[in-house]
Amino acid sequence: MKAPAPPVSLTRPPLTLSVAGFVSSFDRFAVSPMLVLIAADLGVPLSAAVAAASGYYLAYGLTQPLWGLLSDRFGRVSVMRWALFGAALAGLASALMPVLGALVVARVVTGACFGAVIPTGLTYVGDTVAPSVRQRALTDLMAAAALGTALATGLGGVVAGLLDWRVAFTVPAVCALACALSLRTLPEPPRHENAGSGVLSHLGAVLGQRWALLVFALAFTEGAIMLGVMPFLAPALQHTGLAAAVAGLSITAYGLGLWGFAKLVKHLSGRWSAPLLMVVGGAQLCAGFAVVAVHVSVPVVVVTALLLGGGWSFLHSSLQTWATSVVPEARGTTIAFFACALFVGSAVASWAAGPLAQDGRYGLLFGLAAGAAIPLTAVAALTRRHYGALRPEPPRPE
């Protein structure tokens, strides 16, 4: 018997969605601390073992539009369930692979499947939570994902070192299977009257909406600044002679800051306007990169990681909330393109920043990121204010 559709009156995401987001983030961030152990166990160079991570990230980002189109066409919960089943099988296969080539293939499939979880969860919130309180619900999902990020960066390498790297792949796979089974009781959200239309109509609705294209451009820029440059914090510490393990643990502050600031954003989103939240987030983003551009040390990087967690909580959650409203009749496709733009931006920036990192010019790299955060924040806040004037939201609850 099919579960009845939930009314558009929820105030927080279902617990199962939050747990699935946690598992997805844990799996995505756990592999980096394990790369040295994987290389040693499989007898391959570290430069080759990196493909297990880069292939995962590439598949995770590039499959976003596909999952969005499928969720608009066949339903949010159905897509998440099948994606989680796929992630569970591919994750278990990853733990059994005896050679690098097979491991990379398994990780690519795992990344592609886990790529459906968070964007589709965001879309579910957009379908079931009223706009006036939607950002609060989205920050709940963000907090769960942040906790997964923090635990993965802090514990992934420890688990792999004390037990085995294959265990670190098995645990999220088993959790993904449990999430897929628990989603059986989660009802599909109400479908838009155009939800059953074809793929081309969804694409046309999204790509023909100028506000959607603007939000995608902002997501691309944010991904370039934040996700593209932040991974160089640990190498910058290692450039000063610090051990890789200590450098990695310093970045754990990002996940903790993200989790803590997400709770604060949930409290403030009912009181502060979206443009103001964006300005506060952009200021933290700029300040975080500015301080580490001046001096690189463990305390400074910890402060930077905390500020970047705050910047992501304030700015990114505001952009996410905006993305859920620009094309409601194709919300899944919109969120998927939003996520794809974010990850493509991060990939482009990482590639462009490579030569600066190779030469040890981290001060210049972080300074450029701090400077780029200023126009991003200004454009995001001003255009969001204009959008709000054209499409006023319902009154916020007290």
Side-chain angles (χ1 to χ4, degrees), residues 211 214-215 218 273-283 314-315 318-319 322 373-389:
W211 286 112
L214 170 65
V215 174
L218 292 172
S273 67
L276 179 56
L277 292 171
M278 290 177 172
V279 169
V280 173
F314 279 83
L315 178 59
S318 300
L319 289 174
W322 191 4
I374 297 174
L376 167 65
T377 304
V379 172
L382 291 174
T383 53
R384 180 61 181 86
R385 181 180 180 184
H386 182 57
Y387 177 87

Side-chain angles (χ1 to χ4, degrees), residues 41 99 112 128 155 165 189-191 195 240 253 278 280-281 320 345 382:
D41 188 41
V99 295
T128 57
L155 298 179
W165 61 268
R191 305 289 299 276
T240 67
M278 290 177 172
V280 173
Q320 277 184 339
L382 291 174

Side-chain angles (χ1 to χ4, degrees), residues 71-114:
S71 75
D72 276 338
R73 184 69 178 83
F74 299 108
R76 320 300 186 201
V77 179
S78 297
V79 166
M80 275 191 287
R81 287 194 69 209
W82 286 110
L84 284 166
F85 278 127
L89 292 175
L92 291 174
S94 300
L96 300 174
M97 292 299 104
V99 295
L100 180 63
L103 174 62
V104 170
V105 172
R107 295 314 292 164
V108 166
V109 176
T110 307
C113 292
F114 267 126

Side-chain angles (χ1 to χ4, degrees), residues 322-376:
W322 191 4
T324 63
S325 66
V326 287
V327 191
E329 66 272 21
R331 187 174 281 122
T333 303
T334 306
I335 293 296
F337 271 93
F338 175 87
C340 184
L342 190 77
F343 285 105
V344 171
S346 69
V348 170
S350 296
W351 171 79
L356 290 177
Q358 180 69 31
D359 295 337
R361 303 172 69 184
Y362 291 103
L364 176 59
L365 172 58
F366 297 139
L368 290 173
I374 297 174
L376 167 65

Side-chain angles (χ1 to χ4, degrees), residues 237-333:
L237 283 173
Q238 292 175 261
H239 186 70
T240 67
L242 200 66
V246 179
L249 286 174
S250 301
I251 313 303
T252 304
Y254 166 74
L256 297 176
L258 186 57
W259 180 79
F261 279 110
K263 297 293 186 181
L264 179 59
V265 170
K266 180 180 179 180
H267 175 72
L268 295 176
S269 62
R271 297 164 173 78
W272 291 9
S273 67
L276 179 56
L277 292 171
M278 290 177 172
V279 169
V280 173
Q284 292 179 84
L285 196 62
C286 179
F289 281 122
V291 295
V292 78
V294 175
H295 177 66
V296 177
S297 66
V298 170
V300 171
V301 167
V302 169
V303 170
T304 293
L306 288 171
L307 286 171
L308 295 184
W312 186 259
S313 298
F314 279 83
L315 178 59
H316 184 69
S317 69
S318 300
L319 289 174
Q320 277 184 339
T321 305
W322 191 4
T324 63
S325 66
V326 287
V327 191
E329 66 272 21
R331 187 174 281 122
T333 303

Side-chain angles (χ1 to χ4, degrees), residues 156-227:
V158 175
V159 171
L162 294 179
L163 299 175
D164 190 277
W165 61 268
R166 300 178 188 277
V167 175
F169 285 150
T170 302
V171 171
V174 172
C175 293
L177 179 60
C179 289
L181 294 174
S182 65
L183 282 172
R184 289 180 301 175
T185 60
L186 186 68
E188 285 284 357
R191 305 289 299 276
H192 192 275
E193 60 181 6
N194 295 327
S197 56
V199 169
L200 292 180
S201 66
H202 289 305
L203 282 174
V206 173
L207 300 181
Q209 171 58 258
R210 64 186 182 93
W211 286 112
L213 298 179
L214 170 65
V215 174
F216 299 157
L218 292 172
F220 177 93
T221 308
E222 183 194 32
I225 297 171
M226 180 72 181
L227 300 182

